[in-house]
């Protein structure tokens, strides 16, 4: 939910993708600049925050990791409700993980429409020799669904800064567009309320997801 | 003149001044014409008689009262008064010649006897009836009063905005008091959320507060409002929260057989620090129900989550990801079976300050708890990598996962599955080591005893050898003690004592 308090933005970003594609390593590298380091003092890497300063405006970024196992797929809506952005991670050496990302994209577009900023990330580019997902295919798919594609390696610390910086800029643009369409601060609160209403309305269309949201 | 003549008459006639008993001594009008000795004897007799009569009366009254207690019939109730009145009449006839003081004393005795019994029973009854409710009411009101005082103290630091906040908060609570009977749970939630939104907007825009300061104020507002409204809005009668609570509790109880392996939980409970974190996580999630402020309930969830992360980190030696966290949280919820789980989740969702719930770390952990509960509700064979047949057998209780583990090795799997078995095995090993130490102590004692015996014998042998080696001969003296004193002649003659007369 974008909260424009003066010049500070707060964004919620969800990390989606199969287990073992490197979601956790990616976000740890970005927030803690660590990779598989036995001396990491961080207790957990499920919820991490980062403060940025972009063109004079402060951004508070909250990154929500999600359980990627297949058995937990139905719980996705509970996680990505009220999200401003989503990072969908796949392993370039694993074709199945890319298919999983495609499923997530369809669900997110269906449930949240075009308000959410999507980033499709091909991780583990350090294993280029074992690549099974071609660059052309991935970038073509991202363009077709209104998302943007990135190539990263948590191991080599490549492409991660660009990914998050670009995502924040896009979320800021979306938030500013919403601000202009609302007019003033008073409308901003109504924006939040309408967002909640939209989320509440859509799950009813899908019975399983509705069940999940109802219990939540 | 007539009075004077009467006095002379009394004074002159001595026979009338004597004691009525005829003992020969003079009597006194104060003692009813008796002398002091005769009066004392008479008084003591009367007193003893009265004491005995009082005692008999008391015993009779007590028996009648007990009979009345035993039988609750109205006829038995009428009997005591009759007996009482008859006995009173008899008593009065005996003492009719006594003074008013004596009569008053008897009446007082009867009253004193009645007073304790009549007062004791009602006190006990009222005490028993009132015991539970005062403590509960007092505890609740104490907490409410403390929160109210803390709220007022906090607002004093804000000056003008504080006064306005206090006014609006009290007005809101009063209006909610009037509405709560008619509104549904969702409508109550809407009212509270509208109040939060309005208050937050006013603080941000009108009073130009910083976002951090506004957050702190809103935390205090939430605490004050929800403590006052808790009783009426938690698990309200207009909602079906209670049914859901019971359904969830039964569901979790039915899933008692789910193991760490089935959920792929990356937690090694054999490690003491890990099992300690698991126990603390379970305690925290159960404690959530005892809090009243939504933020305090969230704090319990956050504390539970941090203990889970610690358990995972110790097991894997790396930071925990969501792939690890969610299955472990599910396992903790299944082990804890927290009371009123659905009601607490609904309460937090409806009445928590949205800024914390939507974006903060607490909100993340709360969302995972919602996911865990949703997963538990929809859990099936595929979720646990089981065949449908096995799942049904486990759910119905026909089979247990532990029995399947028998071929693999019961002790090992048993210790993992059941903490009680782990404790028993630990106790057995402790007892075994204790037995070994006990055996060592006994052996030490026996060897010490043998050494002592041997030492005693060696000392005796040594003494005997010395005696045999160096025999001791004592030569007797043949002469007298003074025989060899050859210089006896040179001594002066012994002094003769001088006797002085006197």
């Amino acid at each position: 939910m974008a909260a424009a308090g003066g010049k500070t933005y707060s964004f919620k970003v969800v990390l989606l993708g199969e287990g073992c594609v490197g979601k956790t390593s990616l976000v740890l590298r970005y927030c803690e600049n660590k990779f598989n380091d036995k001396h990491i003092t961080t207790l957990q890497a499920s919820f991490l925050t980062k403060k940025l300063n972009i063109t004079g405006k402060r951004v508070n970024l909250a990154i929500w990791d999600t359980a990627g196992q297949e058995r937990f797929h139905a719980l996705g809506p509970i996680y990505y409700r009220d999200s401003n952005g989503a990072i969908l991670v796949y392993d370039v050496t694993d074709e199945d993980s890319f298919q999983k990302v495609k499923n997530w994209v369809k669900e997110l577009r269906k449930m949240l429409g075009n308000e959410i900023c999507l980033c499709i990330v091909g991780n583990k580019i350090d294993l280029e020799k074992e690549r099974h997902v071609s660059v052309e295919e991935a970038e073509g798919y991202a363009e077709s669904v209104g998302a943007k594609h990135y190539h990263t390696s948590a191991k080599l610390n490549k492409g991660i800064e660009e990914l998050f910086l670009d995502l924040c800029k896009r979320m800021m643009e979306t938030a500013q567009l919403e601000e202009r369409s609302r007019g003033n601060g008073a409308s901003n609160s109504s924006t939040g309320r309408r967002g909640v209403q939209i989320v509440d309305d859509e799950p009813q269309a899908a019975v399983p997801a509705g069940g999940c949201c109802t219990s939540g | 003149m007539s009075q004077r003549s009467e006095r002379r008459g009394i004074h002159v006639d001595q026979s009338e001044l004597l004691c009525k008993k005829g003992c020969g001594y003079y009597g006194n009008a104060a003692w009813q014409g008796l002398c002091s000795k005769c009066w004392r004897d008479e008084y003591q007799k009367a007193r003893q008689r009265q004491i005995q009569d009082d005692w008999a009366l008391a015993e009779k009254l007590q028996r009648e009262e007990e009979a009345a207690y035993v039988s609750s019939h109205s006829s038995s109730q009428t009997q005591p008064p009759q007996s009482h009145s008859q006995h009173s009449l008899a008593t009065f006839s005996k003492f009719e010649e006594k003074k008013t003081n004596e009569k008053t004393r008897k009446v007082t005795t009867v009253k004193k006897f009645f007073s304790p019994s009549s007062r004791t029973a009602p006190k006990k009854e009222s005490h028993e009836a009132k015991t539970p409710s005062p403590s509960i009411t007092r505890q609740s009101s104490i907490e409410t009063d403390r929160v109210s005082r803390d709220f007022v103290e906090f607002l004093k630091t804000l000056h003008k905005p504080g006064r306005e906040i206090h006014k609006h908060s009290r007005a809101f609570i009063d209006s909610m008091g009037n509405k709560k009977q008619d509104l549904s749970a969702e409508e109550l939630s809407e009212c509270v959320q509208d109040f939060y939104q309005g208050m937050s907007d006013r603080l941000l825009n009108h009073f130009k507060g910083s976002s951090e300061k506004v957050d702190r104020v809103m935390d205090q507002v939430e605490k004050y409002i929800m403590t006052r409204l808790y009783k009426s809005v938690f698990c309200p009668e207009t909602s079906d929260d209670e049914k859901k609570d019971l359904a969830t509790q039964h569901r979790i109880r039915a899933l008692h057989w789910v193991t760490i392996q089935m959920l792929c939980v990356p937690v090694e409970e054999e490690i003491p620090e890990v099992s300690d974190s698991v126990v603390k996580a379970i305690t925290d999630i159960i404690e959530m129900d005892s809090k009243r402020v939504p933020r305090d309930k969230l704090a319990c969830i956050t504390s539970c989550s941090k203990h889970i992360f610690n358990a995972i980190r110790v097991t894997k030696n790396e930071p925990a990801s969501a792939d690890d966290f969610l299955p472990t949280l599910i396992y903790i919820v299944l082990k804890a079976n927290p009371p009123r789980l659905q009601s607490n989740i609904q309460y937090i969702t409806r009445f928590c300050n949205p800024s914390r719930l939507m974006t903060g770390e607490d909100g993340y952990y709360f969302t995972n708890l919602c996911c865990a509960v949703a997963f538990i509700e929809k859990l099936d064979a595929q979720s646990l990598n089981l065949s449908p047949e096995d799942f049904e057998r486990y759910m119905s209780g026909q089979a247990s996962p532990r029995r399947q583990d028998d071929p693999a090795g019961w002790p090992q799997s048993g210790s993992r599955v059941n903490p009680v078995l782990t404790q028993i095995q630990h106790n057995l090993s402790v007892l075994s080591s204790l037995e070994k130490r006990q055996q060592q102590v006994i052996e030490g004692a026996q060897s010490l005893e043998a050494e002592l015996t041997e030492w005693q014998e060696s000392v005796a042998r040594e003494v005997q050898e010395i005696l045999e080696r160096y025999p001791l001969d004592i030569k007797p003296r043949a002469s007298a003690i003074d025989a060899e004193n050859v210089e006896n002649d040179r001594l002066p003659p012994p002094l003769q004592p001088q006797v002085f007369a006197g």
Side-chain angles (χ1 to χ4, degrees):
Chain A
M1 188 65 63
K7 291 184 177 178
T8 303
Y9 294 93
S10 294
F11 294 133
K12 171 184 171 183
V13 172
V14 286
L15 264 180
L16 298 163
E18 231 178 31
C20 302
V21 297
K23 305 194 302 296
T24 308
S25 300
L26 201 70
V27 71
L28 266 180
R29 170 65 77 180
Y30 178 60
C31 293
E32 307 282 339
N33 196 19
K34 298 289 200 311
F35 179 84
N36 197 24
D37 188 345
K38 294 305 177 183
H39 298 292
I40 294 178
T41 57
T42 307
L43 180 68
Q44 54 88 15
S46 298
F47 176 88
L48 294 173
T49 57
K50 183 84 169 183
K51 294 184 188 297
L52 298 90
N53 192 308
I54 302 176
T55 64
K57 297 186 174 66
R58 279 193 293 267
V59 175
N60 293 330
L61 194 64
I63 304 170
W64 289 38
D65 194 3
T66 64
Q69 294 94 321
E70 181 60 34
R71 65 174 77 174
F72 301 133
H73 183 94
L75 308 174
I78 304 177
Y79 280 113
Y80 59 66
R81 175 181 62 185
D82 299 330
S83 296
N84 304 100
I87 299 175
L88 305 111
V89 186
Y90 69 95
D91 184 344
V92 295
T93 69
D94 184 359
E95 175 74 27
D96 289 341
S97 65
F98 186 62
Q99 289 300 324
K100 186 69 179 293
V101 161
K102 288 183 174 179
N103 292 340
W104 278 120
V105 169
K106 291 173 189 170
E107 181 172 334
L108 288 169
R109 284 304 187 212
K110 177 184 176 186
M111 303 295 281
L112 301 181
N114 292 320
E115 292 186 359
I116 190 168
C117 301
L118 299 184
C119 300
I120 298 177
V121 179
N123 195 31
K124 302 191 184 182
I125 60 175
D126 50 286
L127 305 174
E128 187 67 28
K129 295 179 181 178
E130 306 171 34
R131 176 184 279 272
H132 280 80
V133 181
S134 68
V135 174
E136 294 78 15
E137 180 189 3
E139 291 189 347
Y141 176 78
E143 186 174 355
S144 69
V145 296
K148 193 166 181 181
H149 189 271
Y150 302 87
H151 304 274
T152 63
S153 168
K155 190 170 189 179
L156 305 180
N157 194 12
K158 285 186 175 178
I160 299 170
E161 283 289 334
E162 294 89 330
L163 158 66
F164 282 96
L165 188 63
D166 197 54
L167 174 60
C168 287
K169 287 180 176 177
R170 289 163 60 197
M171 292 191 291
M172 284 172 65
E173 288 174 6
T174 304
Q176 287 162 0
L177 284 176
E178 289 182 359
E179 285 175 13
R180 291 194 207 106
S181 64
R182 304 309 169 191
N184 51 42
S187 300
N188 187 40
S189 59
S190 65
T191 300
R193 209 166 294 175
R194 290 179 193 173
V196 172
Q197 290 174 2
I198 291 171
V199 170
D200 286 343
D201 286 339
E202 291 188 2
Q204 295 173 7
V207 177
C212 296
C213 290
T214 303
S215 62
Chain B
M1 289 298 291
S2 62
Q3 292 178 357
R4 291 178 182 177
S5 65
E6 286 181 358
R7 285 182 182 177
R8 286 173 187 167
I10 293 171
H11 185 75
V12 168
D13 192 350
Q14 291 187 357
S15 63
E16 293 182 358
L17 298 179
L18 294 175
C19 177
K20 289 182 179 179
K21 285 233 172 179
C23 64
Y25 292 94
Y26 285 100
N28 193 310
W31 296 328
Q32 300 177 353
L34 300 174
C35 67
S36 62
K37 187 172 186 292
C38 293
W39 163 253
R40 195 178 303 113
D41 293 342
E42 190 70 18
Y43 176 77
Q44 282 183 355
K45 290 177 184 177
R47 189 174 164 188
Q48 286 177 359
R49 226 179 300 120
Q50 185 179 0
I51 289 172
Q52 289 176 4
D53 290 338
D54 287 347
W55 182 261
L57 177 62
E59 286 186 349
K60 194 164 186 178
L61 288 174
Q62 190 171 3
R63 268 186 266 105
E64 289 168 1
E65 193 168 2
E66 288 174 357
Y69 260 108
V70 170
S71 62
S72 61
H73 296 288
S74 59
S75 60
S76 64
Q77 289 176 2
T78 55
Q79 285 180 3
Q82 294 176 358
S83 304
H84 172 65
S85 61
Q86 290 176 0
H87 193 76
S88 298
L89 290 174
T91 305
F92 273 108
S93 63
K94 291 179 182 178
F95 298 97
E96 64 186 1
E97 75 279 4
K98 288 184 178 297
K99 288 186 174 180
T100 307
N101 287 334
E102 294 170 351
K103 291 179 182 178
T104 305
R105 213 162 55 197
K106 191 184 73 60
V107 171
T108 304
T109 303
V110 173
K111 286 184 179 179
K112 286 180 181 177
F113 178 76
F114 270 115
S115 297
S117 62
S118 63
R119 289 175 188 172
T120 304
K123 280 185 176 178
K124 288 182 179 178
E125 291 175 357
S126 64
H127 181 66
E128 290 173 359
K130 292 178 181 177
T131 300
S133 54
S135 63
I136 294 177
T137 305
R138 196 175 301 121
Q139 182 180 359
S140 178
S141 63
I142 286 173
E143 186 178 346
T144 304
D145 289 347
R146 185 176 67 249
V147 169
S148 298
R149 280 199 308 272
D150 292 346
F151 187 59
V152 170
E153 288 296 322
F154 172 78
L155 292 180
K156 284 180 181 177
T157 62
L158 305 179
H159 306 298
K160 184 181 177 183
R163 282 194 294 272
E164 181 166 330
I165 292 168
H166 187 253
K167 185 177 68 176
H168 282 98
S169 299
R170 285 188 61 96
F172 177 73
I173 289 173
D174 291 341
S175 68
M176 290 297 287
N178 297 331
K179 293 179 185 175
K180 64 189 179 185
Q181 301 298 337
D182 305 323
L183 298 179
S184 69
E186 281 66 34
E187 286 164 338
L188 290 169
S189 170
E190 198 71 23
C191 291
V192 173
Q193 295 296 334
D194 285 349
F195 180 77
Y196 287 152
Q197 188 75 56
M199 180 71 67
S200 180
D201 287 346
R202 183 156 181 79
L203 291 171
L204 282 168
N205 301 325
H206 185 74
F207 291 107
K208 308 298 181 186
S210 68
S211 61
E212 289 178 354
K213 194 170 183 181
V214 169
D215 283 345
R216 263 188 286 117
V217 172
M218 293 309 297
D219 284 341
Q220 293 295 329
V221 169
E222 179 195 281
K223 187 173 185 180
Y224 177 66
I225 287 174
M226 297 319 300
T227 301
R228 298 290 294 266
L229 298 178
Y230 185 77
K231 187 180 291 185
S232 55
V233 302
F234 182 83
C235 195
E237 295 174 359
T238 56
S239 74
D240 57 351
D241 291 346
E242 189 170 351
K243 287 183 181 177
K244 290 180 179 176
D245 286 334
L246 294 176
T248 300
Q249 210 148 36
H250 289 147
R251 174 71 172 171
I252 292 177
R253 195 177 297 123
L255 293 167
H256 67 277
W257 49 267
V258 174
T259 66
I260 282 180
Q261 290 77 26
M262 294 175 182
L263 290 169
C264 301
V265 175
V267 160
E268 184 56 68
E269 281 189 294
E270 301 266 359
I271 304 172
E273 187 178 351
V274 171
S275 66
D276 190 49
S277 292
V278 168
V279 170
K280 286 176 178 173
I282 291 172
T283 303
D284 285 332
I285 198 70
I286 291 174
E287 191 178 342
M288 173 177 60
D289 189 51
S290 68
K291 305 297 182 183
R292 303 218 275 170
V293 181
R295 184 158 170 266
D296 292 346
K297 289 182 187 285
L298 274 184
C300 289
I301 298 170
T302 299
S303 181
C304 168
S305 300
K306 290 191 187 300
H307 285 122
I308 290 173
F309 286 128
N310 187 64
I312 296 170
R313 178 188 160 81
V314 173
T315 302
K316 298 186 74 176
N317 196 24
E318 64 186 39
S321 67
D323 294 347
D324 302 325
F325 173 60
L326 183 57
T328 311
L329 179 59
I330 291 168
Y331 175 72
I332 294 296
V333 171
L334 289 176
K335 287 298 166 188
N337 201 352
R340 303 197 288 188
L341 185 52
Q342 294 282 4
S343 292
N344 281 294
I345 289 175
Q346 290 299 328
Y347 178 75
I348 292 169
T349 304
R350 293 172 184 146
F351 303 111
C352 191
N353 204 338
S355 66
R356 290 197 172 276
L357 204 55
M358 295 301 183
T359 58
E361 185 177 11
D362 294 339
Y364 176 75
Y365 301 136
F366 176 70
T367 300
N368 275 274
L369 179 63
C370 297
C371 291
V373 174
F375 178 82
I376 288 167
E377 286 176 347
K378 293 175 168 53
L379 189 151
D380 57 11
Q382 188 178 355
S383 307
L384 300 175
N385 295 323
L386 297 173
S387 67
E389 295 78 20
D390 282 346
F391 184 79
E392 288 303 322
R393 280 195 277 123
Y394 295 155
M395 287 296 286
S396 62
Q398 295 174 4
S400 171
R402 264 176 268 170
R403 295 176 190 175
Q404 278 196 347
D405 291 337
D406 282 346
W410 177 81
Q412 189 176 6
S413 61
S415 65
R416 288 176 187 168
V417 172
N418 197 336
V420 176
L421 288 182
T422 304
Q423 187 67 38
I424 288 174
Q425 290 173 9
H426 176 67
N427 291 346
L428 286 176
S429 65
V430 170
L431 286 174
S432 179
S433 65
L434 192 63
E435 186 180 7
K436 291 177 182 177
R437 290 173 59 191
Q438 175 88 355
Q439 192 64 28
Q440 290 173 7
V441 169
I442 290 175
E443 291 173 357
Q446 289 174 350
S447 65
L448 182 62
E449 185 181 10
E451 285 182 8
L452 283 174
T453 303
E454 184 180 357
W455 178 75
Q456 185 174 342
E457 292 173 353
S458 69
V459 167
R461 264 199 315 278
E462 194 168 327
V463 168
Q464 191 63 32
E465 289 174 1
I466 292 173
L467 287 177
E468 290 173 355
R469 199 178 306 168
Y470 306 101
L472 180 61
D473 294 332
I474 302 175
K475 298 177 180 177
R477 288 171 172 264
S479 59
I481 296 174
D482 296 334
E484 300 176 1
N485 194 351
V486 294
E487 301 178 0
N488 195 20
D489 297 340
R490 297 183 183 180
L491 292 173
L495 296 174
Q496 296 296 327
Q498 299 179 13
V499 179
F500 293 94

